[in-house]
Coordinates of all heavy atoms in Angstrom, one line a residue:
M323 N -17.1 -15.5 4.1 CA -16.4 -15.0 3.0 C -16.4 -13.5 2.9 O -17.4 -12.9 3.4 CB -17.0 -15.6 1.7 CG -17.1 -17.1 1.7 SD -15.5 -17.9 1.8 CE -14.9 -17.9 0.1
E324 N -15.4 -13.0 2.2 CA -15.4 -11.5 2.1 C -14.7 -11.2 0.8 O -14.0 -12.0 0.2 CB -14.7 -10.8 3.2 CG -13.2 -11.3 3.3 CD -12.5 -10.5 4.5 OE1 -13.1 -9.7 5.1 OE2 -11.3 -10.8 4.6
L325 N -15.1 -10.0 0.3 CA -14.5 -9.5 -0.9 C -13.2 -8.7 -0.5 O -13.3 -7.9 0.4 CB -15.5 -8.6 -1.6 CG -15.3 -8.3 -3.1 CD1 -15.2 -9.6 -3.9 CD2 -16.4 -7.5 -3.6
K326 N -12.1 -9.0 -1.1 CA -10.9 -8.4 -0.7 C -10.1 -7.8 -1.9 O -9.9 -8.6 -2.9 CB -10.0 -9.4 0.1 CG -8.8 -8.8 0.7 CD -8.2 -9.8 1.6 CE -6.8 -9.3 2.1 NZ -6.9 -8.0 2.7
N327 N -9.6 -6.6 -1.8 CA -8.7 -6.1 -2.8 C -7.3 -6.4 -2.4 O -6.8 -5.8 -1.5 CB -9.0 -4.6 -2.9 CG -8.1 -3.9 -3.9 OD1 -7.3 -4.6 -4.7 ND2 -8.1 -2.6 -4.0
L328 N -6.7 -7.3 -3.1 CA -5.3 -7.7 -2.8 C -4.3 -6.5 -2.8 O -3.3 -6.6 -2.1 CB -4.8 -8.8 -3.7 CG -5.4 -10.2 -3.6 CD1 -4.7 -11.1 -4.6 CD2 -5.3 -10.7 -2.2
I329 N -4.7 -5.6 -3.6 CA -3.7 -4.4 -3.7 C -3.6 -3.7 -2.4 O -2.6 -3.1 -2.1 CB -4.2 -3.5 -4.8 CG1 -4.3 -4.2 -6.2 CG2 -3.2 -2.3 -5.0 CD1 -3.0 -4.9 -6.7
E330 N -4.6 -3.8 -1.5 CA -4.5 -3.1 -0.2 C -3.4 -3.7 0.6 O -2.6 -3.0 1.2 CB -5.8 -3.3 0.6 CG -6.9 -2.4 0.1 CD -8.2 -2.6 0.9 OE1 -8.2 -3.0 2.0 OE2 -9.3 -2.3 0.4
D331 N -3.2 -5.1 0.5 CA -2.1 -5.7 1.2 C -0.8 -5.4 0.6 O 0.2 -5.2 1.2 CB -2.3 -7.2 1.2 CG -3.3 -7.7 2.2 OD1 -3.8 -6.9 3.0 OD2 -3.6 -8.9 2.3
V332 N -0.8 -5.3 -0.8 CA 0.4 -5.0 -1.5 C 0.9 -3.6 -1.1 O 2.1 -3.4 -0.8 CB 0.2 -5.1 -3.0 CG1 1.5 -4.6 -3.8 CG2 -0.2 -6.5 -3.5
V333 N 0.0 -2.7 -1.1 CA 0.3 -1.3 -0.7 C 0.9 -1.2 0.7 O 1.8 -0.5 1.0 CB -0.8 -0.3 -1.0 CG1 -0.6 1.0 -0.3 CG2 -1.1 -0.1 -2.5
S334 N 0.1 -1.9 1.6 CA 0.6 -1.8 3.0 C 1.9 -2.5 3.2 O 2.8 -1.9 4.0 CB -0.6 -2.4 3.9 OG -0.1 -3.3 4.7
N335 N 2.2 -3.6 2.5 CA 3.6 -4.1 2.6 C 4.6 -3.2 2.0 O 5.7 -3.1 2.5 CB 3.6 -5.4 1.8 CG 3.1 -6.6 2.6 OD1 3.0 -6.5 3.8 ND2 2.8 -7.7 1.9
T336 N 4.2 -2.5 0.9 CA 5.1 -1.6 0.3 C 5.5 -0.4 1.2 O 6.7 0.0 1.3 CB 4.6 -1.1 -1.0 OG1 4.2 -2.2 -1.9 CG2 5.6 -0.3 -1.8
I337 N 4.5 0.1 1.9 CA 4.7 1.2 2.9 C 5.8 0.7 3.9 O 6.7 1.4 4.3 CB 3.5 1.6 3.6 CG1 2.5 2.3 2.5 CG2 3.8 2.6 4.7 CD1 1.1 2.7 3.0
E338 N 5.6 -0.6 4.4 CA 6.6 -1.1 5.4 C 8.0 -1.2 4.8 O 9.0 -0.9 5.5 CB 6.2 -2.5 5.8 CG 4.9 -2.6 6.6 CD 5.0 -1.7 7.9 OE1 6.1 -1.7 8.6 OE2 4.0 -1.1 8.2
D339 N 8.1 -1.6 3.5 CA 9.4 -1.7 2.9 C 10.0 -0.4 2.7 O 11.2 -0.2 3.0 CB 9.2 -2.3 1.5 CG 9.0 -3.9 1.5 OD1 9.1 -4.4 2.6 OD2 8.6 -4.4 0.5
I340 N 9.3 0.6 2.3 CA 9.8 2.0 2.1 C 10.3 2.5 3.4 O 11.3 3.2 3.5 CB 8.8 2.9 1.4 CG1 8.4 2.4 0.0 CG2 9.3 4.3 1.3 CD1 7.3 3.1 -0.7
K341 N 9.5 2.3 4.5 CA 9.8 2.7 5.8 C 11.2 2.3 6.3 O 11.8 3.0 7.1 CB 8.7 2.2 6.8 CG 8.9 2.5 8.2 CD 8.4 4.0 8.5 CE 8.5 4.2 10.0 NZ 8.8 5.7 10.2
K342 N 11.6 1.2 5.8 CA 13.0 0.6 6.2 C 14.1 1.5 5.7 O 15.2 1.6 6.2 CB 13.2 -0.8 5.6 CG 12.4 -1.8 6.4 CD 12.6 -3.2 5.8 CE 11.5 -4.2 6.1 NZ 11.3 -5.2 5.1
H343 N 13.9 2.2 4.6 CA 14.9 3.0 3.9 C 14.7 4.5 4.0 O 15.6 5.3 3.7 CB 15.1 2.5 2.5 CG 15.3 1.1 2.4 ND1 16.5 0.4 2.7 CD2 14.4 0.1 1.9 CE1 16.3 -0.9 2.5 NE2 15.1 -1.1 2.0
H344 N 13.4 4.9 4.3 CA 13.1 6.3 4.3 C 12.5 6.7 5.6 O 11.7 5.9 6.2 CB 12.2 6.7 3.1 CG 12.7 6.4 1.8 ND1 13.4 7.3 1.0 CD2 12.7 5.3 1.0 CE1 13.7 6.8 -0.1 NE2 13.3 5.5 -0.2
D345 N 12.8 7.9 6.0 CA 12.2 8.3 7.3 C 10.9 9.2 7.0 O 11.0 10.2 6.4 CB 13.2 9.1 8.1 CG 12.7 9.4 9.5 OD1 12.0 8.5 10.0 OD2 13.1 10.5 10.0
F346 N 9.8 8.7 7.3 CA 8.5 9.5 7.1 C 7.5 9.0 8.1 O 7.7 7.9 8.8 CB 8.0 9.3 5.7 CG 7.6 7.9 5.3 CD1 6.3 7.5 5.5 CD2 8.5 7.0 4.7 CE1 5.9 6.2 5.1 CE2 8.2 5.7 4.4 CZ 6.8 5.3 4.6
C347 N 6.6 9.9 8.4 CA 5.6 9.6 9.4 C 4.6 8.5 9.0 O 4.1 8.5 7.9 CB 4.8 10.9 9.7 SG 3.5 10.6 11.0
T348 N 4.4 7.5 9.9 CA 3.5 6.4 9.6 C 2.4 6.4 10.7 O 2.0 5.3 11.1 CB 4.2 5.1 9.5 OG1 5.0 4.9 10.6 CG2 5.0 4.9 8.2
C349 N 2.0 7.6 11.2 CA 0.8 7.6 12.1 C -0.4 7.1 11.2 O -0.3 7.1 10.0 CB 0.6 9.0 12.7 SG 0.0 10.2 11.5
Q350 N -1.4 6.8 11.9 CA -2.6 6.2 11.2 C -3.1 7.2 10.1 O -3.4 6.7 9.0 CB -3.8 5.9 12.2 CG -4.7 5.0 11.5 CD -6.0 4.8 12.4 OE1 -6.3 5.6 13.2 NE2 -6.7 3.7 12.1
Q351 N -3.1 8.5 10.4 CA -3.6 9.4 9.4 C -2.7 9.4 8.2 O -3.3 9.3 7.0 CB -3.6 10.8 10.0 CG -4.0 11.9 9.0 CD -5.4 12.1 8.9 OE1 -6.2 12.5 9.8 NE2 -5.9 11.9 7.7
C352 N -1.4 9.5 8.3 CA -0.5 9.5 7.2 C -0.6 8.2 6.4 O -0.6 8.2 5.2 CB 0.9 9.8 7.6 SG 1.1 11.5 8.2
R353 N -0.5 7.1 7.2 CA -0.6 5.8 6.5 C -1.8 5.6 5.7 O -1.8 5.2 4.5 CB -0.6 4.7 7.6 CG -0.3 3.4 7.1 CD -0.4 2.4 8.3 NE 0.9 2.4 9.0 CZ 1.9 1.6 8.8 NH1 1.7 0.6 7.9 NH2 3.0 1.6 9.5
L354 N -3.0 6.0 6.2 CA -4.2 5.9 5.4 C -4.2 6.9 4.2 O -4.7 6.5 3.2 CB -5.5 6.2 6.3 CG -5.7 5.1 7.4 CD1 -6.9 5.5 8.3 CD2 -6.0 3.7 6.7
D355 N -3.7 8.1 4.4 CA -3.6 9.0 3.3 C -2.8 8.5 2.2 O -3.2 8.6 1.0 CB -3.1 10.4 3.8 CG -4.1 11.2 4.6 OD1 -5.3 10.9 4.5 OD2 -3.7 12.2 5.3
I356 N -1.6 7.9 2.6 CA -0.7 7.3 1.6 C -1.4 6.2 0.9 O -1.4 6.1 -0.4 CB 0.6 6.8 2.2 CG1 1.4 8.0 2.8 CG2 1.4 6.0 1.3 CD1 2.5 7.5 3.8
S357 N -2.1 5.3 1.6 CA -2.8 4.2 1.0 C -3.9 4.6 0.1 O -4.0 4.1 -1.0 CB -3.4 3.3 2.1 OG -2.4 2.8 3.0
A358 N -4.7 5.6 0.5 CA -5.8 6.1 -0.4 C -5.3 6.6 -1.7 O -5.8 6.3 -2.8 CB -6.6 7.2 0.4
I359 N -4.2 7.4 -1.6 CA -3.7 8.0 -2.9 C -3.1 6.9 -3.8 O -3.5 6.9 -5.0 CB -2.5 9.0 -2.6 CG1 -3.1 10.2 -1.8 CG2 -1.8 9.5 -3.8 CD1 -2.0 11.1 -1.2
A360 N -2.4 6.0 -3.2 CA -1.8 4.9 -4.0 C -2.9 4.0 -4.6 O -2.9 3.7 -5.8 CB -0.8 4.1 -3.2
L361 N -3.9 3.7 -3.7 CA -5.0 2.7 -4.1 C -5.8 3.3 -5.2 O -6.4 2.6 -6.1 CB -5.8 2.3 -3.0 CG -5.1 1.3 -2.0 CD1 -5.9 1.2 -0.7 CD2 -5.0 -0.1 -2.7
N362 N -5.9 4.6 -5.3 CA -6.7 5.2 -6.3 C -6.0 5.2 -7.7 O -6.6 5.4 -8.7 CB -7.0 6.7 -6.0 CG -8.2 6.8 -5.1 OD1 -9.1 6.0 -5.1 ND2 -8.2 7.8 -4.2
K363 N -4.7 5.0 -7.6 CA -3.9 5.0 -8.9 C -3.7 3.5 -9.4 O -3.2 3.4 -10.5 CB -2.6 5.7 -8.7 CG -2.7 7.2 -8.4 CD -1.4 7.8 -8.4 CE -1.5 9.3 -8.2 NZ -0.3 10.0 -7.7
I364 N -3.9 2.6 -8.6 CA -3.6 1.2 -9.0 C -5.0 0.5 -9.2 O -5.8 0.5 -8.3 CB -2.8 0.4 -7.9 CG1 -1.5 1.3 -7.6 CG2 -2.4 -0.9 -8.4 CD1 -0.9 0.8 -6.3
P365 N -5.1 -0.2 -10.3 CA -6.4 -0.9 -10.5 C -6.5 -2.0 -9.4 O -5.6 -2.7 -9.1 CB -6.2 -1.6 -11.9 CG -5.0 -1.0 -12.5 CD -4.2 -0.3 -11.4
P366 N -7.7 -2.1 -8.9 CA -7.9 -3.1 -7.8 C -7.8 -4.6 -8.3 O -8.0 -4.8 -9.5 CB -9.3 -2.9 -7.3 CG -10.0 -2.2 -8.4 CD -8.9 -1.4 -9.2
R367 N -7.5 -5.5 -7.5 CA -7.5 -6.9 -7.9 C -8.3 -7.6 -6.8 O -7.8 -8.0 -5.7 CB -6.1 -7.4 -7.9 CG -5.9 -8.3 -9.1 CD -4.5 -8.6 -9.3 NE -3.9 -7.8 -10.4 CZ -2.8 -8.2 -11.0 NH1 -2.1 -9.2 -10.6 NH2 -2.3 -7.4 -11.9
Y368 N -9.6 -7.8 -7.0 CA -10.5 -8.3 -6.1 C -10.4 -9.9 -6.1 O -10.4 -10.5 -7.2 CB -11.9 -7.8 -6.2 CG -12.1 -6.4 -5.7 CD1 -12.2 -5.4 -6.6 CD2 -12.2 -6.2 -4.4 CE1 -12.4 -4.1 -6.2 CE2 -12.3 -4.9 -3.9 CZ -12.4 -3.9 -4.8 OH -12.6 -2.6 -4.3
V369 N -10.5 -10.5 -4.9 CA -10.6 -11.9 -4.8 C -11.7 -12.2 -3.7 O -12.0 -11.3 -2.9 CB -9.3 -12.6 -4.4 CG1 -8.3 -12.5 -5.5 CG2 -8.8 -12.1 -3.1
V370 N -12.3 -13.3 -3.8 CA -13.2 -13.8 -2.7 C -12.3 -14.6 -1.8 O -11.7 -15.6 -2.2 CB -14.4 -14.6 -3.2 CG1 -15.2 -15.1 -2.1 CG2 -15.2 -13.7 -4.2
S371 N -12.3 -14.3 -0.5 CA -11.4 -15.1 0.4 C -12.2 -15.3 1.7 O -13.1 -14.6 2.0 CB -10.1 -14.3 0.7 OG -10.4 -13.2 1.6
S372 N -11.8 -16.4 2.3 CA -12.5 -16.7 3.6 C -11.8 -15.7 4.6 O -10.7 -15.3 4.4 CB -12.3 -18.1 4.0 OG -11.3 -18.7 3.4
K373 N -12.5 -15.3 5.6 CA -12.0 -14.3 6.5 C -10.7 -14.7 7.1 O -10.5 -15.9 7.5 CB -13.1 -14.1 7.6 CG -13.7 -12.8 7.5 CD -14.5 -12.4 8.8 CE -14.6 -10.9 8.9 NZ -15.2 -10.2 7.8
G374 N -9.8 -13.8 7.2 CA -8.5 -14.0 7.8 C -7.5 -14.7 6.9 O -6.3 -14.7 7.2
E375 N -7.9 -15.2 5.8 CA -7.0 -15.9 4.8 C -6.0 -14.8 4.4 O -6.4 -13.7 3.9 CB -7.8 -16.4 3.7 CG -6.9 -17.2 2.7 CD -7.8 -17.7 1.5 OE1 -9.1 -17.5 1.6 OE2 -7.2 -18.1 0.5
S376 N -4.7 -15.2 4.4 CA -3.8 -14.2 3.9 C -3.0 -14.7 2.8 O -2.7 -15.9 2.7 CB -2.9 -13.7 5.0 OG -2.1 -14.7 5.4
Y377 N -2.6 -13.9 1.9 CA -1.9 -14.3 0.7 C -0.4 -14.3 1.0 O 0.1 -13.6 1.9 CB -2.2 -13.4 -0.5 CG -3.5 -13.9 -1.1 CD1 -4.7 -13.6 -0.4 CD2 -3.5 -14.7 -2.2 CE1 -5.9 -14.0 -0.9 CE2 -4.7 -15.2 -2.7 CZ -5.9 -14.8 -2.0 OH -7.1 -15.3 -2.5
G378 N 0.4 -15.2 0.4 CA 1.8 -15.3 0.6 C 2.5 -14.0 0.3 O 2.1 -13.4 -0.7
R379 N 3.6 -13.7 0.9 CA 4.3 -12.6 0.7 C 4.9 -12.6 -0.7 O 5.1 -11.6 -1.4 CB 5.4 -12.4 1.8 CG 6.1 -11.1 1.7 CD 6.9 -10.7 3.0 NE 7.8 -9.6 2.7 CZ 7.4 -8.3 2.7 NH1 6.2 -8.0 2.9 NH2 8.3 -7.4 2.4
A380 N 5.2 -13.8 -1.2 CA 5.8 -14.0 -2.5 C 4.8 -13.5 -3.6 O 5.2 -12.8 -4.5 CB 6.2 -15.4 -2.8
D381 N 3.5 -13.9 -3.4 CA 2.5 -13.4 -4.4 C 2.4 -11.9 -4.4 O 2.3 -11.3 -5.4 CB 1.1 -14.0 -4.0 CG 1.1 -15.5 -4.0 OD1 1.9 -16.0 -4.8 OD2 0.3 -16.1 -3.4
L382 N 2.4 -11.3 -3.1 CA 2.2 -9.9 -3.0 C 3.4 -9.2 -3.7 O 3.3 -8.2 -4.3 CB 2.0 -9.5 -1.6 CG 0.8 -10.1 -0.9 CD1 0.7 -9.6 0.6 CD2 -0.5 -9.6 -1.6
L383 N 4.6 -9.8 -3.4 CA 5.8 -9.2 -4.0 C 5.8 -9.2 -5.5 O 6.2 -8.2 -6.2 CB 7.1 -9.8 -3.5 CG 7.6 -9.4 -2.1 CD1 8.7 -10.3 -1.6 CD2 8.0 -7.9 -2.1
A384 N 5.3 -10.3 -6.1 CA 5.2 -10.4 -7.5 C 4.3 -9.3 -8.1 O 4.6 -8.7 -9.1 CB 4.7 -11.8 -7.9
M385 N 3.2 -9.1 -7.4 CA 2.2 -8.1 -7.8 C 2.8 -6.7 -7.7 O 2.6 -5.8 -8.6 CB 0.9 -8.1 -7.0 CG -0.1 -9.0 -7.6 SD -1.6 -8.9 -6.7 CE -1.4 -10.2 -5.5
Q386 N 3.6 -6.5 -6.6 CA 4.2 -5.2 -6.4 C 5.2 -4.9 -7.6 O 5.2 -3.8 -8.0 CB 5.0 -5.3 -5.1 CG 5.7 -4.0 -4.6 CD 6.7 -4.3 -3.4 OE1 7.7 -4.9 -3.6 NE2 6.3 -3.7 -2.3
K387 N 5.9 -5.9 -8.0 CA 6.8 -5.7 -9.1 C 6.1 -5.4 -10.4 O 6.4 -4.5 -11.2 CB 7.6 -6.9 -9.3 CG 9.2 -6.6 -9.3 CD 9.9 -7.9 -9.4 CE 11.3 -7.6 -10.0 NZ 12.0 -8.9 -10.2
D388 N 5.1 -6.2 -10.7 CA 4.3 -6.1 -11.9 C 3.7 -4.8 -12.1 O 3.6 -4.2 -13.2 CB 3.1 -7.1 -11.8 CG 3.4 -8.5 -12.4 OD1 4.6 -8.7 -12.8 OD2 2.5 -9.3 -12.5
L389 N 3.1 -4.2 -11.1 CA 2.3 -3.0 -11.2 C 3.2 -1.7 -10.9 O 2.6 -0.7 -10.8 CB 1.1 -3.1 -10.2 CG 0.2 -4.3 -10.5 CD1 -0.7 -4.5 -9.4 CD2 -0.6 -3.9 -11.8
D390 N 4.4 -1.9 -10.6 CA 5.2 -0.8 -10.3 C 4.7 0.0 -9.0 O 4.6 1.2 -9.0 CB 5.4 0.2 -11.5 CG 6.7 0.9 -11.4 OD1 7.5 0.6 -10.5 OD2 6.8 1.9 -12.2
V391 N 4.2 -0.8 -8.1 CA 3.6 -0.2 -6.9 C 4.6 0.7 -6.1 O 4.2 1.7 -5.6 CB 3.1 -1.4 -6.0 CG1 2.6 -0.8 -4.7 CG2 1.9 -2.1 -6.7
L392 N 5.9 0.2 -6.1 CA 6.8 1.0 -5.4 C 6.9 2.4 -5.7 O 6.9 3.3 -4.9 CB 8.2 0.3 -5.5 CG 9.3 0.7 -4.6 CD1 9.0 0.5 -3.2 CD2 10.6 0.1 -4.9
A393 N 6.9 2.7 -7.0 CA 7.0 4.0 -7.5 C 5.8 4.8 -7.2 O 5.8 6.0 -6.8 CB 7.2 4.1 -9.0
I394 N 4.6 4.2 -7.3 CA 3.4 4.9 -7.0 C 3.3 5.2 -5.5 O 2.9 6.3 -5.1 CB 2.2 4.0 -7.5 CG1 2.2 3.9 -9.0 CG2 0.8 4.5 -6.9 CD1 1.2 2.8 -9.5
V395 N 3.6 4.2 -4.6 CA 3.6 4.5 -3.2 C 4.6 5.5 -2.8 O 4.3 6.3 -2.0 CB 3.7 3.2 -2.4 CG1 3.8 3.4 -0.9 CG2 2.6 2.2 -2.8
L396 N 5.8 5.5 -3.4 CA 6.8 6.5 -3.1 C 6.3 7.9 -3.4 O 6.5 8.8 -2.6 CB 8.1 6.2 -3.9 CG 9.2 5.6 -3.1 CD1 10.4 5.4 -4.1 CD2 9.7 6.5 -2.0
D397 N 5.6 8.0 -4.5 CA 5.0 9.3 -4.9 C 4.0 9.8 -3.8 O 3.9 10.9 -3.4 CB 4.3 9.2 -6.2 CG 5.3 9.5 -7.4 OD1 6.4 9.8 -7.1 OD2 4.8 9.4 -8.5
A398 N 3.2 8.8 -3.4 CA 2.1 9.1 -2.4 C 2.8 9.5 -1.1 O 2.3 10.4 -0.4 CB 1.3 7.8 -2.2
V399 N 3.9 8.8 -0.7 CA 4.6 9.2 0.5 C 5.1 10.6 0.4 O 4.9 11.4 1.4 CB 5.8 8.2 0.8 CG1 6.7 8.8 1.8 CG2 5.4 6.9 1.1
K400 N 5.7 11.0 -0.7 CA 6.2 12.3 -0.8 C 5.1 13.4 -0.8 O 5.3 14.4 -0.1 CB 6.9 12.5 -2.2 CG 8.3 11.8 -2.2 CD 9.0 12.0 -3.5 CE 10.1 11.0 -3.7 NZ 10.3 10.7 -5.1
L401 N 4.0 13.1 -1.4 CA 2.8 14.0 -1.4 C 2.3 14.2 0.0 O 2.1 15.4 0.4 CB 1.7 13.4 -2.3 CG 0.9 14.3 -3.2 CD1 1.8 14.8 -4.3 CD2 -0.3 13.5 -3.7
V402 N 2.1 13.2 0.7 CA 1.5 13.3 2.1 C 2.5 14.0 3.0 O 2.1 14.8 3.9 CB 1.2 11.8 2.6 CG1 0.9 11.9 4.1 CG2 0.0 11.3 1.9
Q403 N 3.8 13.7 2.9 CA 4.8 14.3 3.8 C 4.9 15.8 3.5 O 5.3 16.6 4.4 CB 6.2 13.7 3.7 CG 6.1 12.2 4.2 CD 5.6 12.1 5.6 OE1 6.2 12.6 6.5 NE2 4.4 11.5 5.7
K404 N 4.6 16.2 2.3 CA 4.6 17.6 2.0 C 3.5 18.4 2.7 O 3.7 19.5 3.1 CB 4.4 17.8 0.5 CG 5.6 18.5 -0.2 CD 5.4 18.8 -1.7 CE 5.9 17.8 -2.6 NZ 5.5 17.9 -4.0
K405 N 2.4 17.7 2.8 CA 1.2 18.4 3.5 C 0.6 17.4 4.4 O -0.6 16.9 4.1 CB 0.2 18.8 2.4 CG 0.4 20.2 1.9 CD -0.8 20.6 1.0 CE -0.6 22.0 0.4 NZ -1.7 22.3 -0.6
P406 N 1.2 17.0 5.5 CA 0.6 16.0 6.4 C -0.6 16.6 7.1 O -0.7 17.8 7.4 CB 1.8 15.8 7.4 CG 2.8 16.9 7.3 CD 2.5 17.5 5.9
R407 N -1.6 15.7 7.3 CA -2.9 16.2 7.9 C -3.0 15.8 9.4 O -4.0 15.9 10.0 CB -4.0 15.6 7.1 CG -4.1 16.1 5.7 CD -5.4 15.9 5.1 NE -5.7 14.4 5.0 CZ -7.0 14.0 5.0 NH1 -8.0 14.8 5.1 NH2 -7.2 12.7 4.9
H408 N -1.9 15.2 9.9 CA -1.9 14.7 11.3 C -1.8 15.9 12.2 O -1.3 17.0 11.9 CB -0.8 13.7 11.6 CG 0.6 14.2 11.2 ND1 1.5 13.4 10.6 CD2 1.2 15.3 11.3 CE1 2.6 14.0 10.4 NE2 2.4 15.3 10.8
Ligands
ZN1320 ZN1 1.6 11.5 10.5

């Protein structure tokens, strides 16, 4: 079993979604920087899950909508692209 912050998956899915419509660097450094900024702004949602268990995309999409993750991640993308550390 492991402790998992579901918002990490939500943010990572959101980065993928944004990537489809916007051109920005998604090297590991930039991706992690974007995730860190976004995750610090969104309250975590911890669950206990068995290893490897993944949540349905529908659940993650519902959370994405609820928490306005898209706007927060977009802001993080803009911030990181202004001063990329890669
Ligand atoms: Zn980069």
Side-chain angles (χ1 to χ4, degrees):
M323 301 302 275
E324 62 177 359
L325 203 55
K326 186 170 172 55
N327 178 8
L328 286 184
I329 303 301
E330 286 181 23
D331 282 358
V332 176
V333 165
S334 128
N335 276 345
T336 305
I337 292 173
E338 291 304 318
D339 286 348
I340 296 173
K341 178 81 178 149
K342 286 178 203 155
H343 308 286
H344 299 266
D345 192 31
F346 61 93
C347 179
T348 48
C349 71
Q350 197 189 20
Q351 174 84 63
C352 290
R353 192 181 278 266
L354 290 175
D355 283 343
I356 294 164
S357 301
I359 293 167
L361 285 167
N362 279 332
K363 291 187 178 164
I364 307 167
R367 224 171 257 195
Y368 283 105
V369 293
V370 178
S371 73
S372 19
K373 250 195 154 56
E375 183 183 351
S376 67
Y377 281 76
R379 189 159 166 82
D381 296 335
L382 298 180
L383 276 176
M385 268 187 271
Q386 186 189 63
K387 230 175 155 187
D388 270 7
L389 298 163
D390 208 9
V391 173
L392 191 61
I394 294 170
V395 176
L396 256 178
D397 273 357
V399 166
K400 284 181 199 152
L401 216 70
V402 168
Q403 293 308 292
K404 239 187 265 172
K405 270 190 186 173
R407 297 198 296 153
H408 54 221

